[in-house]
Amino acid sequence: MKVLIACEMSGIIREAFAKRGHEAWSCDLMDTEIPSKYHIKDDVMNHLNQGWDLMIGHPVCTFICRNRARLNKIENKKIDISLFMGLLNADIPRICIENPVPSKQAKLPKYNQIIQPYHHGHDHSKKTCLWLKNLPELKPTKIVELSYITTKNGHRYTKGWYYTPRNSIARSRTFQGIADAMADQWG
C-alpha cells in the first residue's frame, strides 16, 4: 500500500507502516527526526495527488484546538482551517485526520472517534480525535492504568505528561503504540 503521513516530522507512523512492508512516506515543512529517503520536505498540499491509498494527516492544531479557544477570542485571532479541510477532503480513498478536541469556533466537522495513549500501552492521557474516511475505528491494543503526580501546589498530572518537555514538538509526537495500532489495523 502507498501511504502518506501528512505533517509528520517525527517519522514514527511512517516507520510503523514501512516495517510492515508498505511504501510509506512522511511529508512536513521540517526535516524528519528519523532520517529517511521517504520524507518529503515541502508543503503537503503539493503532494496529495500522487496515487496514495491511505493518508494519515496531522494538521497544525495550535489555533483550532479547544485549549486555545479563550486566547483566540482575547487576541481576536481568525482561525484558519484550510489545511485541515484540504487534507480531510483530499481525493485519497482512505483518510485519517488526527487532532486534539477542536474549539467550537473552528467549526470543524464532527470527529468519528476519540482515542487515548493509555489505550495503546502508554502512561499518558491525551484526548485525540480522529476524523475517518473509509477506515474502521481504531481498536485499543493495550489498556494501561494511568499513574499521577500531584505537585506542591495541588495540581494533578498524569506522570507521562508531567515529565514530557513543554514544547509543541515534544507534545505533538505520535505515541509508538498508536502508530503500531494504525499500521496493524489499517495496513
Side-chain angles (χ1 to χ4, degrees):
M1 194 163 58
K2 192 173 177 187
V3 182
L4 173 63
I5 313 302
C7 311
E8 181 194 47
M9 49 81 63
S10 70
I12 294 170
I13 300 176
R14 178 195 69 221
E15 292 302 305
F17 275 89
K19 284 178 186 168
R20 288 155 178 84
H22 300 285
E23 181 187 340
W25 291 79
S26 55
C27 183
D28 196 88
L29 296 172
M30 299 172 66
D31 288 322
T32 180
E33 292 178 343
I34 303 172
S36 172
K37 68 179 185 177
Y38 293 98
H39 179 73
I40 304 163
K41 186 179 176 183
D42 194 17
D43 181 345
V44 71
M45 299 307 285
N46 297 329
H47 300 277
L48 295 180
N49 297 317
Q50 295 180 350
W52 307 108
D53 299 304
L54 166 65
M55 175 181 63
I56 299 172
H58 309 273
V60 176
C61 63
T62 305
F63 299 105
I64 61 176
C65 68
R66 183 177 64 189
N67 292 344
R68 173 71 195 199
R70 186 180 62 79
L71 278 175
N72 286 345
K73 202 169 193 175
I74 291 168
E75 296 171 2
N76 201 24
K77 181 81 177 167
K78 184 181 182 308
I79 300 171
D80 183 0
I81 62 169
S82 59
L83 175 61
F84 184 99
M85 294 307 296
L87 294 176
L88 186 62
N89 293 322
D91 187 18
I92 297 172
R94 293 181 293 281
I95 294 174
C96 168
I97 304 298
E98 172 274 338
N99 244 237
V101 177
S103 73
K104 290 178 184 172
Q105 299 160 329
K107 297 181 178 147
L108 293 178
K110 179 77 173 151
Y111 47 85
N112 301 87
Q113 181 181 14
I114 290 178
I115 61 171
Q116 289 276 5
Y118 63 81
H119 293 157
H120 301 279
H122 299 277
D123 188 9
H124 283 70
S125 175
K126 180 185 179 190
K127 192 182 283 189
T128 304
C129 300
L130 302 179
W131 286 258
L132 304 170
K133 173 183 161 186
N134 297 324
L135 288 169
E137 289 190 355
L138 204 60
K139 295 177 184 150
T141 54
K142 183 181 178 186
I143 297 174
V144 298
E145 191 173 324
L146 291 172
S147 54
Y148 294 90
I149 289 179
T150 303
T151 62
K152 291 176 186 175
N153 61 2
H155 288 98
R156 187 173 180 230
Y157 299 94
T158 57
K159 190 175 183 180
W161 277 124
Y162 184 78
Y163 290 113
T164 301
R166 283 162 176 58
N167 64 65
S168 60
I169 291 175
R171 290 182 175 250
S172 68
R173 270 189 205 96
T174 300
F175 291 89
Q176 188 65 54
I178 292 173
D180 289 338
M182 289 175 169
D184 287 340
Q185 295 177 38
W186 297 339

